[in-house]
Amino acid sequence: LWAGDEVFESAGLKVVPREKRYPEVQAIDREIREKFGFGRYGMPESSEDANPFARIAFGRWVNARLTETYRKTHGLVRKINPSLKLLGPDPCGAVPPVDLESMTPYFDIMTNQSWCAPSPFTQQLATGADTKAAVDLSACPVWALVQHSTSSDPEALREQFSQVFRNGGQGLVVLGVEWYDRE
């Protein structure tokens, strides 16, 4: 059972602009301010609000809510089918501020993904760096999803998959070639 793709980045961090906040969102803003923003920082004003302290407070609230959701889901799944494996949401590459340490006790396998490009050279190291960070912060095995939209060279692909295992990853999530409508 998979927790979804890039949940933190794609859905969790959506900011409701201040002028469109209904009472439930206003209550969330107060909760963020009180519990995660030192009584001062709440939800960012809009998706363009660059205030780092509001962004951090909001991110901390999102992480807490996601972790609570995963804790509840884990308990329910274990009651229904204790042998069902739970796969975590794969954070996108570059290690976004997802609280893996808090949420991974509720998964059997954590997934992560990275984006490999042949240039600049440092991008070729992204798979290993992303995997290492996920392994160090996770409380369960990490399987990497290595995306390759720019390379069909078998040696380059082998190198990226090898970086997963050299940096502590224990498996791979392999996408079908249809993903990018390529043969």
Side-chain angles (χ1 to χ4, degrees), residues 25 35 40 55 61 67 101 124 140 153 155 162 167:
V25 177
K35 295 182 180 178
R40 182 172 178 186
R55 292 245 165 238
W61 177 82
T67 299
E101 188 175 25
Q124 295 176 39
C140 60
D153 174 38
E155 182 60 25
S162 294
N167 287 281

Side-chain angles (χ1 to χ4, degrees), residues 86-121:
L86 295 164
L87 277 68
D90 58 325
C92 68
V95 194
V98 177
D99 192 352
L100 296 177
E101 188 175 25
S102 292
M103 65 180 58
T104 58
Y106 307 113
F107 296 107
D108 297 298
I109 297 169
M110 189 61 188
T111 57
N112 79 302
Q113 65 176 285
S114 60
W115 190 268
C116 171
S119 119
F121 175 73

Side-chain angles (χ1 to χ4, degrees), residues 22-42:
Y22 45 89
E24 291 82 359
V25 177
Q26 292 170 0
I28 290 169
D29 182 54
R30 282 191 301 277
E31 179 184 357
I32 293 169
R33 195 174 309 279
E34 292 167 10
K35 295 182 180 178
F36 301 96
F38 307 105
R40 182 172 178 186
Y41 303 101

Side-chain angles (χ1 to χ4, degrees), residues 5-183:
D5 183 39
E6 300 178 14
V7 174
F8 180 86
E9 305 89 332
S10 299
L13 282 179
K14 299 294 183 192
V15 175
V16 178
R18 180 164 292 287
E19 67 275 6
K20 294 185 179 183
R21 294 184 183 172
Y22 45 89
E24 291 82 359
V25 177
Q26 292 170 0
I28 290 169
D29 182 54
R30 282 191 301 277
E31 179 184 357
I32 293 169
R33 195 174 309 279
E34 292 167 10
K35 295 182 180 178
F36 301 96
F38 307 105
R40 182 172 178 186
Y41 303 101
M43 184 180 286
E45 298 291 319
S46 69
S47 58
E48 288 79 34
D49 183 356
N51 181 323
F53 301 107
R55 292 245 165 238
I56 290 167
F58 185 47
R60 292 174 64 210
W61 177 82
V62 170
N63 273 300
R65 302 311 300 192
L66 283 173
T67 299
E68 180 61 17
T69 298
Y70 298 144
R71 185 191 65 73
K72 289 177 181 177
T73 302
H74 180 268
L76 292 170
V77 168
R78 289 297 179 249
K79 284 182 186 177
I80 296 167
N81 184 348
S83 65
L84 188 62
K85 300 296 180 202
L86 295 164
L87 277 68
D90 58 325
C92 68
V95 194
V98 177
D99 192 352
L100 296 177
E101 188 175 25
S102 292
M103 65 180 58
T104 58
Y106 307 113
F107 296 107
D108 297 298
I109 297 169
M110 189 61 188
T111 57
N112 79 302
Q113 65 176 285
S114 60
W115 190 268
C116 171
S119 119
F121 175 73
T122 54
Q123 182 61 37
Q124 295 176 39
L125 307 174
T127 299
D130 290 344
T131 302
K132 177 69 172 147
V135 166
D136 287 353
L137 297 171
S138 296
C140 60
V142 172
W143 288 18
L145 185 157
V146 182
Q147 297 189 34
H148 300 278
S149 67
T150 58
S151 176
S152 59
D153 174 38
E155 182 60 25
L157 295 174
R158 185 205 60 76
E159 170 56 27
Q160 293 305 301
F161 292 139
S162 294
Q163 283 186 33
V164 170
F165 297 106
R166 288 197 310 264
N167 287 281
Q170 295 184 7
L172 299 170
V173 177
V174 181
L175 300 174
V177 294
E178 305 85 31
W179 185 267
Y180 296 107
D181 295 325
R182 296 184 306 150
E183 291 298 325

